[in-house]
Amino acid sequence: MPPGHGPLPLLLLLLLAALFATGTVQFLVNSAAVELPKFREAPAFRNGRGCPRTAWSSLDQHSHYDPSIIHIAMTLDATYLRGSVAGVFSVLRHATCPENIVFHFIAASHRSRRSSDLHHVITSTFPYLTFHLYQFDSNLVRGKISYSVRRALDQPLNYARIYLADLLPSGVRRIIYFDSDLIVVDDVARLWRIDLGRRVLGAPEYCHANFTNYFTPKFWSNAGFAAEFKGRSACYFNTGVMVIDLWKWREGKYTQKLEHWMRVQKRCRIYELGSLPPFLLVFAGDVEGVEHRWNQHGLGGDNVEGLCRDLHSGPVSLLHWSGKGKPWLRLDSKQPCPLDSLWAPYDLYRDHRHSSLFSDI
């Protein structure tokens, strides 16, 4: 071996170990090396009678706010793309005015070729869809992410929801944020029209949840940290379905408030669950409650085993496979949970083996 080259393999091993520890290598593998799935073209969904005529362009950064245009944000990456496509399909399928819906897709910006590929997937699958694809700079959160109970929760794109107000044009006042593992089985306009009042964010709340489970003993033993919830009727809410007033968000500097708790987490390890706890710390107790029907969450089981679960009692407008188990993976492994059959008809993946909502696509 040439002089001076002996320590190099050890240095490389140490570097790789550090990258794996931060999730960086896994992120690059998931987002860059995985081949994108191919999808069949969805049918063209047209507006029903009574739908107002609207037009929106991503080129007009300061367009006048039009409440009849529904804006929905979702992330796009190779790992969850099949879920994202099914989610978009479900929204369009049940909307009264599907042509008045604008999708705002967010993808990691580390590879321009991958972004181009994702854009092609959307245009070829939904040729009539109005959408815009934004580049999310993963470096914004790389130094702020702490490892959690599931590696998927540690990916930078999982934190993009914190930066919606920075990514989207100023003319977009309100946004619905959807995770990539859900389907909508109702007209999304009903969710869009909720009255946020003075509040920044609306979501289904679950006040019976044990709040102590979302933070470590170190958090609760610190009088300063625990005092954050003093005087607040803090309830759990799932961040996979949110209605957000982006103007109020910018005015209140909520991105910076969330980033503050991410930095505290890096120093003190006060929680275990990805991007959720910062939202609870900033918003819990000041969320506009939405009917539970708009987030039947937890269908993916817990974050460790992902076992099958039943629906919560009550009506259903949205099914959400939060947790470890994803319906497309369980269907492909031929070990589906009973409720995965409700997701299957929205799957446009070309190689699927189950029946679609439309036999001619």
Side-chain angles (χ1 to χ4, degrees):
M1 181 176 294
H5 285 211
L8 184 58
L10 177 59
L11 290 174
L12 287 174
L13 287 173
L14 290 173
L15 176 60
L16 287 172
L19 291 173
F20 271 111
T22 60
T24 302
V25 170
Q26 186 67 35
F27 170 72
L28 291 174
V29 169
N30 286 344
S31 300
V34 178
E35 182 180 355
L36 294 183
K38 294 179 172 56
F39 302 93
R40 293 168 297 150
E41 182 180 319
F45 295 99
R46 300 304 185 189
N47 282 354
R49 291 183 179 179
C51 291
R53 286 193 170 188
T54 61
W56 184 86
S57 171
S58 61
L59 299 177
D60 185 0
Q61 297 291 300
H62 303 284
S63 58
H64 177 69
Y65 173 64
D66 183 348
S68 65
I69 301 178
I70 299 173
H71 295 275
I72 299 175
M74 298 178 75
T75 58
L76 290 182
D77 71 340
T79 306
Y80 283 84
L81 185 58
R82 193 164 160 192
S84 298
V85 168
V88 173
F89 184 27
S90 72
V91 169
L92 298 175
R93 170 69 178 82
H94 296 283
T96 300
C97 304
E99 293 178 278
N100 294 1
I101 298 175
V102 177
F103 278 89
H104 302 265
F105 297 116
I106 304 163
S109 62
H110 66 282
R111 286 188 68 188
S112 58
R113 170 65 185 276
R114 177 44 52 93
S115 178
S116 175
D117 291 344
L118 289 169
H119 192 280
H120 175 72
V121 166
I122 297 301
T123 54
S124 60
T125 308
F126 302 103
Y128 308 96
L129 188 69
T130 302
F131 75 94
H132 187 70
L133 182 61
Y134 304 84
Q135 302 296 309
F136 177 64
D137 183 2
S138 301
N139 291 320
L140 284 172
V141 294
R142 188 81 68 188
K144 305 182 187 78
I145 297 176
S146 302
Y147 68 90
S148 63
V149 295
R150 220 175 86 232
R151 179 153 292 184
L153 301 177
D154 303 340
Q155 305 309 322
L157 205 55
N158 190 44
Y159 291 80
R161 70 195 79 191
I162 294 174
Y163 297 90
L164 293 175
D166 300 324
L167 290 166
L168 272 58
S170 59
V172 179
R173 174 167 187 167
R174 173 181 287 213
I175 193 76
I176 296 175
Y177 176 82
F178 280 154
D179 269 350
S180 297
D181 52 1
L182 57 77
I183 56 171
V184 176
V185 292
D186 198 348
D187 188 352
V188 74
R190 296 189 174 98
L191 176 61
W192 176 254
R193 289 194 296 262
I194 70 163
D195 183 7
L196 289 178
R198 64 172 182 81
R199 293 190 165 99
V200 178
L201 185 151
E205 292 184 292
Y206 304 88
C207 295
H208 62 277
N210 185 352
F211 222 70
T212 59
N213 292 338
Y214 297 100
F215 300 92
T216 63
K218 180 180 286 190
F219 176 88
W220 295 113
S221 64
N222 183 301
F225 292 156
E228 287 294 324
F229 293 114
K230 188 176 181 179
R232 294 161 60 180
S233 300
C235 296
Y236 163 81
F237 66 97
N238 180 281
T239 57
V241 178
M242 299 184 289
V243 183
I244 301 171
D245 187 319
L246 294 177
W247 289 3
K248 291 179 182 175
W249 181 291
R250 295 186 187 103
E251 184 180 353
K253 301 185 184 302
Y254 284 96
T255 296
Q256 291 90 327
K257 293 177 182 179
L258 291 161
E259 287 182 324
H260 163 72
W261 285 111
M262 292 168 67
R263 293 189 183 96
V264 172
Q265 163 73 350
K266 290 290 286 186
R267 297 195 309 267
C268 302
R269 191 69 184 171
I270 58 174
Y271 55 79
E272 305 286 353
L273 272 176
S275 62
L276 170 63
F279 273 88
L280 296 180
L281 282 159
V282 172
F283 290 105
D286 197 22
V287 172
E288 185 63 35
V290 176
E291 287 183 275
H292 287 179
R293 67 189 301 152
W294 284 105
N295 196 352
Q296 285 270 351
H297 68 288
L299 303 185
D302 61 21
N303 284 303
V304 179
E305 297 182 83
L307 301 177
C308 298
R309 287 187 179 173
D310 294 327
L311 287 173
H312 309 292
S313 61
V316 180
S317 293
L318 184 149
L319 297 158
H320 186 189
W321 278 261
S322 58
K324 185 177 181 180
K326 302 306 173 189
W328 57 92
L329 297 178
R330 296 195 294 213
L331 287 162
D332 287 352
S333 67
K334 297 185 170 31
Q335 295 180 317
C337 292
L339 291 178
D340 295 344
S341 63
L342 300 177
W343 181 90
Y346 299 92
D347 186 12
L348 294 177
Y349 182 50
R350 280 186 179 177
D351 296 333
H352 77 333
R353 299 289 190 272
H354 37 270
S355 60
S356 172
L357 284 169
F358 300 90
S359 59
D360 59 341
I361 57 175

